[in-house]
Amino acid sequence: MEKLDFKKEYKDLYTASASKPKIIKIPPFNYLMVDGRGDPNHSAAFQQAIEALYSVSYTAKFMLKEAPETPDYVVPPLEGLWWAEDMASFEKQLKDQWQWTLMIMQPKWFNKKVFTDTLKKVESKKEVVALEQLRLEKFSEGTAAQIMHLGPYTQEKPTIDRLFVFIDENGYKLGGRHHEIYLSDPRRCKPERLKTIIRHPINKK
C-alpha cells in the first residue's frame, strides 16, 4: 500500500511559485512544537529542538504503522514560526534577538495518548535533551499568502519583500507570525538548491 504523503494530500499548502505568490486557506492541524530563541546558526537549543521533533515524529510513525487501523505515512517537513519582541530587530537580521517555534505537522490520529506513549518510548531508548519541551498543539493559521524561496536562507529578504508587496496590493495586511516550511534537507542539498515556502497569515485591510 502506498504511503500517505501529506505534501500530496494538501498540495496547495506544500507547493508555491517562486515568482507569483498566492493566497490560500489553511485548515487546522495537529503539530508537535518546541519554542526557543536566539540565532539558529549558533544555538544548541535550535539543533536540540530539531532532534526532539524528528525523534518523536519518526518513533510515532513506526509505532502507528503497527496498528492496522492507521495508514503508513511520510513524516511531513520541518516548519518554523519566527518573530521578535521588537520586530525591527527581526527585519534588521539581529538573530540573537529572534524567537522561534519549530514544528512538524502530525496526522489526525496522533492524539494525546499517542504523544505520551511516544515520549515514553523515545525516553527509554536514548537521551533527547529537548524532549520535555515538546508539546502537541492544534494550530490554525486561516488565510495566508505564500511564495517559494529558492536558495540559501540568508538570501530570503528579496523573496519576503515580494510577498509583502503582493499582500499589500491585494488589499490585505500582515497578521500572525512569519512562517517557513523547509522542503529541502540542508545536510544533503547545496545552498543554491534549497526550497523553502515563505508564508504569512493575512487579514483584510
Side-chain angles (χ1 to χ4, degrees):
M1 182 182 294
E2 186 177 356
K3 293 180 182 179
L4 177 60
D5 188 339
F6 297 103
K7 294 194 301 299
K8 296 178 181 178
E9 188 79 6
Y10 300 101
K11 191 174 180 179
D12 282 350
L13 308 186
Y14 291 102
T15 57
S17 166
S19 58
K20 187 177 180 181
K22 66 178 179 181
I23 295 173
I24 58 173
K25 290 190 176 180
I26 307 159
F29 292 106
N30 291 328
Y31 280 87
L32 283 177
M33 295 181 166
V34 184
D35 299 324
R37 65 181 301 147
D39 187 341
N41 297 308
H42 305 289
S43 170
F46 188 81
Q47 296 304 321
Q48 289 163 0
I50 293 174
E51 180 191 18
L53 285 168
Y54 277 116
S55 294
V56 172
S57 294
Y58 276 98
T59 299
K61 165 191 160 62
F62 290 114
M63 286 173 58
L64 290 166
K65 187 178 178 180
E66 297 173 0
E69 68 274 13
T70 57
D72 192 11
Y73 60 94
V74 178
V75 172
L78 179 70
E79 306 184 30
L81 304 177
W82 299 87
W83 73 100
E85 292 177 5
D86 177 5
M87 285 305 292
S89 66
F90 184 80
E91 294 171 4
K92 292 176 182 177
Q93 298 285 301
L94 301 177
K95 297 181 181 181
D96 60 319
Q97 299 178 34
W98 286 6
Q99 298 188 55
W100 40 263
T101 297
L102 294 181
M103 57 194 198
I104 295 178
M105 191 263 277
Q106 302 298 320
K108 59 184 178 182
W109 51 89
F110 188 106
N111 54 33
K112 289 184 178 179
K113 183 180 185 307
V114 172
F115 177 50
T116 301
D117 291 346
T118 306
L119 289 179
K120 290 178 181 177
K121 187 157 188 174
V122 172
E123 192 173 26
S124 69
K125 286 187 171 183
K126 61 179 179 178
E127 181 181 359
V128 177
V129 176
L131 194 64
E132 293 184 355
Q133 298 173 35
L134 276 179
R135 70 181 187 277
L136 179 64
E137 184 176 305
K138 182 169 283 188
F139 179 60
S140 182
E141 207 161 21
T143 304
Q146 66 184 32
I147 189 172
M148 182 72 75
H149 172 70
L150 303 175
Y153 305 131
T154 55
Q155 296 177 14
E156 287 180 354
K157 191 176 186 307
T159 304
I160 294 170
D161 289 344
R162 285 202 303 276
L163 181 65
F164 285 2
V165 168
F166 170 82
I167 290 170
D168 181 63
E169 290 179 346
N170 282 271
Y172 289 90
K173 60 182 179 180
L174 300 178
R177 291 171 176 167
H178 177 88
H179 187 169
E180 298 187 358
I181 302 172
Y182 307 105
L183 300 179
S184 307
D185 185 342
R187 299 169 302 175
R188 303 175 182 176
C189 186
K190 293 181 179 179
E192 63 269 21
R193 293 181 174 273
L194 290 172
K195 292 183 178 181
T196 306
I197 290 179
I198 306 294
R199 179 184 293 170
H200 214 294
I202 54 177
N203 299 310
K204 275 288 186 181
K205 290 182 180 178

